[in-house]
Amino acid sequence: MPTAVAGPEIERLIQLLARLPGLGPRSARRAALALIKKREQLMAPLSVALQTAMERISICTVCGNIDTSNPCTVCTDERRDASVIVVVEDVADLWALERAHVVNARYHVLGGTLSPLDGIGPEDLSIDALVARAHAPEVKEIILALNATVDGQTTAHYITDLLGGANVKVTRLAHGCRSAANSIISMRARSQPRCAAERRFSLRVFQA
């Protein structure tokens, strides 16, 4: 009994969409159908945007963020507090904190966490670059915003030991980065912080 309902080009589009996080075969078919129905309004601009992004996107050599400029928009924003660096596991964590609108600092993306079982060691992460940044004279505080997993906490302890020779204050988020960001978004939905200082300390940290 035949199962194909479209040509190979459309089936290829559906297969590629199904690889995206949160999209299964059925939702990928719905997305593909929506694109096909709105080829001029949606599919054509999306195709151009994807091509442009593929050509211009790069990894920031300073913090590890993903952007179309290098250094990235965060690193070149002079309004941010250059004395504070928030360390995150992944770019997704950086974006989550930015959506919460409570961090006015610089970031550093490790690219993962230490995981002996997976063969991920310090040389596989951007830890040396973080230590080098921590020794910059303008840096006064490092906030370890790593997830509250065994690997995340192991990485936090390892980094804390390495930063012992730097003249910086090392603090950690009370919870994992995603949990903290989600709770901050929830709190802001109920009540806006009354001042800039309150916004800054909505991220509850404790001495490492």
Side-chain angles (χ1 to χ4, degrees):
M1 187 173 181
T3 57
V5 296
E9 297 83 3
I10 295 178
E11 288 297 329
R12 176 61 174 165
L13 173 62
I14 295 171
Q15 291 172 6
L16 291 174
L17 289 173
R19 294 182 183 180
L20 295 174
L23 288 183
R26 293 182 62 183
S27 53
R29 288 187 179 277
R30 289 196 296 269
L33 187 58
L35 290 170
I36 293 169
K37 287 182 175 179
K38 298 183 178 180
R39 281 175 289 181
E40 297 299 326
Q41 302 95 329
L42 188 57
M43 180 178 280
L46 178 60
S47 175
V48 173
L50 288 172
Q51 182 64 36
T52 302
M54 186 177 68
E55 294 172 353
R56 298 188 58 186
I57 284 177
S58 62
I59 298 176
C60 177
T61 55
V62 177
C63 72
N65 187 24
I66 295 175
D67 205 343
T68 54
S69 59
N70 187 17
C72 70
T73 304
V74 173
C75 289
T76 56
D77 188 352
E78 297 181 354
R79 297 169 298 178
R80 292 181 177 271
D81 186 356
S83 68
V84 180
I85 296 178
V86 179
V87 182
V88 295
E89 174 183 336
D90 189 76
V91 174
D93 298 322
L94 187 160
W95 290 0
L97 288 173
E98 282 298 285
R99 287 197 302 271
H101 299 297
V102 292
V103 176
N104 187 37
R106 303 290 173 85
Y107 289 94
H108 189 88
V109 181
L110 293 177
T113 55
L114 297 173
S115 180
L117 293 177
D118 296 324
I120 301 176
E123 66 280 358
D124 300 310
L125 305 177
S126 182
I127 294 179
D128 289 344
L130 170 63
V131 174
R133 293 182 68 189
H135 281 83
E138 69 272 12
V139 178
K140 305 300 181 185
E141 182 179 8
I142 302 292
I143 300 178
L144 301 176
L146 303 179
N147 292 315
T149 61
V150 173
D151 290 342
Q153 296 309 299
T154 299
T155 306
H157 285 298
Y158 180 80
I159 293 174
T160 301
D161 291 340
L162 289 180
L163 295 178
N167 187 26
V168 294
K169 178 182 178 182
V170 181
T171 54
R172 301 184 204 169
L173 286 182
H175 300 285
C177 179
R178 289 187 178 88
S179 299
N182 289 338
S183 63
I184 292 166
I185 294 171
S186 177
M187 286 189 297
R188 285 178 61 85
R190 293 194 300 267
S191 175
Q192 290 291 329
R194 290 168 292 181
C195 62
E198 187 175 350
R199 284 197 300 271
R200 174 179 172 80
F201 290 102
S202 291
L203 280 176
R204 303 184 64 85
V205 297
F206 61 91
Q207 190 80 23

